[in-house]
């Protein structure tokens, strides 16, 4: 892996007009960007902030028009951010702009976006949905309905027992339906949204594929122990996702060496400073 060549590709589409900013090859020189992206088992969707520096004033004005003050509605927008290295690029955030903050006062004038997956889908549902399933509705039936309402594919682990929930009724937004789903899930099941897919997985570390994290594989500093696991920072790895099993191998803090599961991924980086890291919140895998 070419660790010292940071690569990114940022695609912004607003009202059918697309702008692309990228640094992929060693010779590429583009605008400066900074980003912070978070995906968590407890949140409905991935979200993050992206700041672009050095834009022309007319470009900032164009990119800041995602909100229409006359209709009080968000305009159609879509953002994709890929990051990594020449041999390892992956999507770390895709979604809609729900807030933009232009800055014309500094020398390197900028614009900062707040982005979340599924915003446009949530708006198109008119702010609410109503679902009713029969008394024989299974947990899988409900997961299928929730994925459809949120514009997601469904990856359902067949190892999950086919539990009958019974009567199921819901009224609210697609976002809220994802959060409600977590209240219905059995203790042995975990729910995450990765790459436009609702992943419903059976928690079982036995025989699961794991990734080793150590000082030799990009760990920065030592893990920080928590009440349920630990937090570890590594060189940016865009391929890691929620529910991946991680084995920590720390020479300086061997007490934390164990098998864990990722419950939150936070990517921080840019081509303006030193940040190019992934922070993982881990819980013990049993």
């Amino acid at each position: 892996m070419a660790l010292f060549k940071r690569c990114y590709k940022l695609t912004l589409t607003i009202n059918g007009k697309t702008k692309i900013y990228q640094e992929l090859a060693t010779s590429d020189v583009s605008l400066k960007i900074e980003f912070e992206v978070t995906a968590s088992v407890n949140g409905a969707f991935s979200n993050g902030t992206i700041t672009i520096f050095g834009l022309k004033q007319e470009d900032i004005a164009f990119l800041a028009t995602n909100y229409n003050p006359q209709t009080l509605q968000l305009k159609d927008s879509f953002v994709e951010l890929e990051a990594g290295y020449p041999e390892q690029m992956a999507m770390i955030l895709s979604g809609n702009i729900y807030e933009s903050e232009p800055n014309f006062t500094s020398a390197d004038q900028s614009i900062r976006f707040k982005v979340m997956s599924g915003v446009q889908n949530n708006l198109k549902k008119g702010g609410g949905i109503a679902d009713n399933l029969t008394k024989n509705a299974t947990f899988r039936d409900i997961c299928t309905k929730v994925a459809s309402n949120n514009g997601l594919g469904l990856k359902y682990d067949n190892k999950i027992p086919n539990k009958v929930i019974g009567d199921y009724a819901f009224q609210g937004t697609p976002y809220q339906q994802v959060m409600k789903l977590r209240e219905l899930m059995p203790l042995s099941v975990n729910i995450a949204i990765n790459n436009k897919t609702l992943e419903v997985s059976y928690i079982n570390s036995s025989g699961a594929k794991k990734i080793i994290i150590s000082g030799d594989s990009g760990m920065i500093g030592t893990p920080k122990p928590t009440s349920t696991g630990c937090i570890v920072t590594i060189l940016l790895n865009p391929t890691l996702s929620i529910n991946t099993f991680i084995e920590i191998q720390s020479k300086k803090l061997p007490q934390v060496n164990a098998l864990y599961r990722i419950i939150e991924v936070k990517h921080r980086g840019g081509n303006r400073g030193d940040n190019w890291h992934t922070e993982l919140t881990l819980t013990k895998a049993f």
Side-chain angles (χ1 to χ4, degrees), residues 30-200:
S30 186
L31 297 173
K32 300 299 182 184
I33 71 164
E34 291 179 347
F35 59 81
E36 181 170 317
V37 176
T38 302
S40 170
V41 295
N42 294 318
F45 287 85
S46 299
N47 66 90
T49 60
I50 302 171
T51 306
I52 311 174
F53 300 87
L55 284 168
K56 295 178 181 179
Q57 183 169 332
E58 56 266 31
D59 283 343
I60 292 180
F62 163 75
L63 295 171
T65 56
N66 64 301
Y67 181 74
N68 187 329
Q70 280 75 42
T71 62
L72 303 180
Q73 290 182 341
L74 291 174
K75 297 180 180 179
D76 283 341
S77 66
F78 192 68
V79 177
E80 288 187 337
L81 176 61
E82 299 172 68
Y85 312 94
E87 294 85 15
Q88 188 190 53
M89 287 275 289
M91 188 80 65
I92 62 171
L93 181 63
S94 65
N96 309 111
I97 299 169
Y98 67 91
E99 188 177 309
S100 56
E101 182 183 343
N103 178 4
F104 295 105
T105 59
S106 61
D108 53 351
Q109 51 193 16
S110 63
I111 187 166
R112 179 174 180 263
F113 299 115
K114 290 184 179 179
V115 178
M116 181 183 288
S117 302
V119 172
Q120 217 71 44
N121 174 74
N122 218 52
L123 292 173
K124 288 176 181 176
K125 296 292 184 181
I129 54 175
D131 277 332
N132 287 282
L133 297 180
T134 68
K135 63 181 181 180
N136 294 320
T138 65
F139 182 63
R140 183 168 191 157
D141 292 334
I142 297 170
C143 289
T144 301
K145 194 69 174 177
V146 171
S148 175
N149 285 337
N150 282 275
L152 301 169
L154 176 64
K155 183 180 179 181
Y156 192 91
D157 193 335
N158 290 325
K159 299 186 185 73
I160 299 172
N162 195 26
K163 179 182 177 182
V164 174
I165 301 297
D167 290 333
Y168 171 78
F170 173 82
Q171 187 166 357
T173 67
Y175 282 162
Q176 292 169 338
Q177 196 175 29
V178 174
M179 304 309 293
K180 184 71 176 177
L181 183 62
R182 298 183 193 282
E183 299 176 13
L184 297 174
M185 67 186 185
L187 293 176
S188 59
V189 172
N190 224 314
I191 295 171
I193 296 174
N194 289 311
N195 299 321
K196 302 178 185 178
T197 301
L198 179 67
E199 296 183 355
V200 187

Side-chain angles (χ1 to χ4, degrees), residues 170-236:
F170 173 82
Q171 187 166 357
T173 67
Y175 282 162
Q176 292 169 338
Q177 196 175 29
V178 174
M179 304 309 293
K180 184 71 176 177
L181 183 62
R182 298 183 193 282
E183 299 176 13
L184 297 174
M185 67 186 185
L187 293 176
S188 59
V189 172
N190 224 314
I191 295 171
I193 296 174
N194 289 311
N195 299 321
K196 302 178 185 178
T197 301
L198 179 67
E199 296 183 355
V200 187
S201 55
Y202 183 64
I203 303 173
N204 183 1
S205 60
S206 177
K209 182 181 178 181
K210 62 186 178 183
I211 295 174
I212 295 175
I213 290 181
S214 67
D216 296 328
S217 64
M219 183 165 62
I220 299 171
T222 56
K224 175 186 175 182
T226 66
S227 59
T228 58
C230 68
I231 298 173
V232 62
T233 301
I234 62 175
L235 292 173
L236 189 136

